[in-house]
Structure formats: structure tokens, C-alpha cells
Amino acid sequence: MPSPTQLAKRIGKSPTIAMNDKAKQLAAEGHAVIGLAGGEPDFDTPAHIVEAAIKAMRDGETRYAAPSKGIRPLLEAIADKMQRENQVRVDPGSGIIVTPGGKLALFLALKAMLDPGDEVLFPAPYWVSYPSIVTMVGGSPVPIETSSADGYKLRLEHLREHITPRSKAIIINSPCNPTGHMLSSSELEAIASLALEQDLYIISDEIYEKLNFDGRPAVSLASIPEISERVVVINGMSKAYAMTGWRLGWLAGPSSLINVAGMFNSQTATSAATFTQHAAVAALTGPQDCVEVMRRAYEERRDYMIRAFNSIPNMSSPDIEGAFYAFPKVDKTSKTSAEVANIILEEAVVVGVPGSAFGITRDAHIRFSFADDINKLKEAVERIRGIAHLLA
């Protein structure tokens, strides 16, 4: 039998999915596992969104989408949302592609930007799929490690150190998965300055934009006029509207690049499912109080997780400004993050993702999702507290 490709060997399975699979296996074996590895909201999709999908199916919206880049009502709803909420103007007819999930949106954006060997910068900690997707499209990932001691700040001089003649783009995620860090005005200015100075594209991953805390809104890099024509926004319905299983994302940006991405889309996914797109229209144009209810619940859980981890001996958690992940670390340990995660899994039966999966090697961080019931979170923390002495 032929062997797997060299690319497949380099990519591997998503660490988050691998840990989720492990949690499911343990549960199937009868263990009282608490799985906090994945970014899966515990809320149901709001009822008016579900009803819109059901109505669309009953109305016969079960065929190929026309145009393939997205149905016109959704393209217009996305453009209106970006203008209203992000102060970003985008042409609904030529500047947006709706995709089956945010991962494909990122894939298409990078495929349209990169030639083989082109380099893509992104701060670490990073979402686990960034380096793999860059590699899959033929690019070279260039992580830039930041520090919890410095608030995960991205500094211009540090960015410049990683620039080479092959640098082509930088990926930014704010609020960030896994740290919850949100870009400050100085960081936004640094990224904009670098993009202009080095002629870079910017991919702004804004999937967690609505899940921000303490009254601080997320700012889109595409709203900065000087760089708007070099920014591609990645977003979707999964996190803010509890629509992970609906698989609906989008990319939006300059028409010249979106047209190229559209060509690749037409040869791969073709389009997102039509009835899910009608559901997305209902989500974006309908009442938003459901989003605020979820955001407040995550904020309350955030408050608990920070207090709880900071109360465990030899563990600490920095502030979390957005998204729904805690990223605590063991302050003094000879163990790697993978070893710490395995001890927590085996002894506390709590599943998290080691910091090494997010590009952090110098500290023993573990990512835990708090997109779950508060009672489960409390039980998980107490289990970890009970075995904390094993983590040193």
C-alpha cells in the first residue's frame, strides 16, 4: 500500500481534536471525564436561527448556492454588519466569500496570497491550525513567541526581527485563542506600520470579536484606512452564535484577492450549504440579545477561572480579555506542558490542551475552555487543586 505523503506526516492531527477524542474515549470507558479541550459553546443555537434554517429547507433552499461565493442576502448582511460594527466597508458582490467553516476561509485567503516558500508571521501562542494551514498551502510558518510576563504584547521591534525577503503576510487573532489577549492601540499601530513598511498582507482572524470582556470592544485592522486594502478578515458564526456544527464562515477583503480565493473555492467546496446561509442571515440581522446573554455568561466564568487558578498553589492565570479560554501555567516545574496535561488527564480526569500545541515551549501552560457549565468548571478546578502537588 502507498505510504502517506510527506506533507501529511508534517501536518498531523489537530491537537485540540486529538485531546477531544481522548476525552470521548475515556468517557466511553466509564471515566467521569471533564473535557475542556475544545472551543464548543454549551449553549444551543438560538431558536430564531434554527427556525430560519427549517423554513429555508421547507421552502426548497437545498440546492447549490447561487452565486457559489454566497447567497446575496447573506453577502449583504455580512457587509452591513462589517460597516455597522467594525467600520469596515466591503463590496458584498466582490469582496466576500462564504465558506463551510472558518478554517476553509483561512485556507482560501492564504492560498490566494502565497507562492511556495513565502513566509507567514503570527504571534505565539497561536491557534493550533495556523502553522498547519500555512504549510498545507505551500507557505512557511514563522511563529513569534510572546510572553505572559509581558501581557503577550506584540512589539514592532520583535516583529522586525523575523522579517526576511520571503515574508508575505502576518496573521493576527484578537481576541486571541488561547490567551484571550486583545490587541492594544499600540499593537495595532505596530502591525499597520510593519505591513506598510514591508509590503505585507494581514489576515485578521476575528472569530471571537463579540466575546470581549470589561466593556472593551475588539478593533478590526481593516478599519485602519492606510492598510484596509491589504487586510483580509476571517470571521464566522461558530463562537458568537453557538453555531459550531453549522460550519459557516467567511473571508472579506480586497476584490482582487477575493476573486482569486473564489477560484480556489469553486474548485473545492463550491459553496456553503444554502439553508445554513439563510440561518446566518437571521443571526446577523435578527435580535442580538442572545449573543449578549452568552457573552455575559462567559465573562462570569472568566472571572471565576482567573480567581480559581490563581488560588491553586504553584499555578497562576493572567488576565483574560476575550474569547472563552483560560491559559494558566504551573509556575515552578521541571515538567513540560505535555507532561503536565497528561498528569491532569490521568490523575484528575480533566482534559486540557498543552501549551506546546500553541507554540509555547518555555512555560508549562495548559489551555482549558470555559465554554461549559459553571458547575463543571468548578468540579474541574477542584480536581486539579487536589493533584496540584504532582505538577511541580
Side-chain angles (χ1 to χ4, degrees):
M1 179 178 291
S3 62
T5 67
Q6 293 301 311
L7 177 61
K9 293 176 182 177
R10 289 164 60 196
I11 297 301
K13 190 173 187 177
S14 163
T16 306
I17 292 175
M19 294 302 287
N20 275 333
D21 288 348
K22 188 174 287 189
K24 292 174 183 176
Q25 180 182 343
L26 286 169
E29 293 171 356
H31 296 281
V33 62
I34 300 177
L36 304 179
E40 180 78 53
D42 62 321
F43 295 95
D44 292 330
T45 303
H48 70 282
I49 300 174
V50 175
E51 290 304 317
I54 294 171
K55 182 179 184 304
M57 285 188 281
R58 286 175 173 161
D59 289 346
E61 298 289 350
T62 57
R63 296 174 173 82
Y64 290 127
S68 65
K69 66 179 64 176
I71 62 172
R72 186 70 189 192
L74 180 53
L75 296 174
E76 291 179 348
I78 292 169
D80 289 345
K81 174 255 183 260
M82 293 183 70
Q83 174 76 62
R84 181 179 65 255
E85 297 181 0
N86 308 112
Q87 293 75 56
V88 175
R89 297 187 66 178
V90 61
D91 185 334
S94 63
I96 303 170
I97 300 173
V98 177
T99 57
K103 284 183 178 179
L104 183 61
L106 178 60
F107 181 94
L108 294 175
L110 288 166
K111 193 67 178 173
M113 292 176 182
L114 303 182
D115 286 315
D118 283 348
E119 295 174 349
V120 180
L121 289 68
F122 43 83
Y126 49 71
W127 178 45
V128 296
S129 291
Y130 288 155
S132 294
I133 295 176
V134 170
T135 301
M136 282 192 290
V137 303
S140 296
V142 181
I144 304 171
E145 192 160 348
T146 62
S147 169
S148 58
D150 191 33
Y152 302 111
K153 291 191 182 302
L154 196 57
R155 301 189 182 278
L156 181 57
E157 61 271 18
H158 200 190
L159 285 166
R160 284 202 181 107
E161 291 174 2
H162 293 78
I163 293 292
T164 77
R166 295 309 303 266
S167 300
K168 192 66 172 288
I170 179 169
I171 302 175
I172 297 299
N173 179 210
S174 180
C176 172
N177 170 10
T179 67
H181 175 62
M182 293 175 65
L183 293 174
S184 65
S185 58
S186 62
E187 289 172 291
L188 291 167
E189 291 168 6
I191 295 162
S193 175
L194 183 79
L196 291 170
E197 175 188 298
Q198 300 294 334
D199 193 24
L200 301 177
Y201 283 117
I202 300 171
I203 295 178
S204 182
D205 181 348
E206 301 176 8
I207 194 70
Y208 294 100
E209 62 162 345
K210 291 182 181 290
L211 306 183
N212 51 78
F213 308 134
D214 306 318
R216 179 181 171 187
V219 177
S220 175
L221 278 154
S223 66
I224 301 174
E226 295 81 3
I227 60 169
S228 60
E229 282 302 306
R230 60 179 69 238
V231 179
V232 174
V233 172
I234 306 295
N235 211 326
M237 311 304 296
S238 293
K239 310 301 183 179
Y241 295 94
M243 294 175 67
T244 50
W246 296 71
R247 309 313 304 134
L248 208 63
W250 73 78
L251 62 158
S255 298
S256 57
L257 192 140
I258 295 299
N259 286 337
V260 176
M263 178 183 66
F264 291 120
N265 185 54
S266 72
Q267 296 287 6
T268 51
T270 301
S271 68
T274 313
F275 54 89
T276 64
Q277 294 190 55
H278 283 279
V281 173
L284 293 174
T285 63
Q288 300 298 300
D289 55 319
C290 54
V291 177
E292 179 60 11
V293 167
M294 290 185 275
R295 190 202 65 78
R296 287 181 179 176
Y298 296 138
E299 190 168 36
E300 291 175 2
R301 298 172 191 178
R302 182 278 308 255
D303 294 343
Y304 168 74
M305 294 295 267
I306 291 175
R307 290 195 309 270
F309 280 117
N310 283 329
S311 72
I312 296 176
N314 200 31
M315 290 192 76
S316 59
S317 173
D319 191 20
I320 303 166
E321 298 169 323
F324 44 49
Y325 306 103
F327 200 54
K329 71 171 182 174
V330 181
D331 294 320
K332 295 178 181 179
T333 182
S334 60
K335 298 176 175 62
T336 66
S337 62
E339 290 170 335
V340 169
N342 281 330
I343 292 171
I344 292 173
L345 173 64
E346 293 169 4
E347 301 296 331
V349 203
V350 175
V351 187
V353 184
S356 55
F358 306 94
I360 292 296
T361 57
R362 62 170 170 250
D363 293 314
H365 285 269
I366 309 293
R367 191 196 76 172
F368 298 103
S369 167
F370 52 82
D372 212 329
D373 179 77
I374 187 66
N375 291 320
K376 281 189 180 180
L377 300 179
K378 290 179 178 179
E379 172 65 19
V381 168
E382 290 311 307
R383 290 188 189 182
I384 294 168
R385 188 190 305 279
I387 56 96
H389 62 285
L390 301 175
L391 307 180

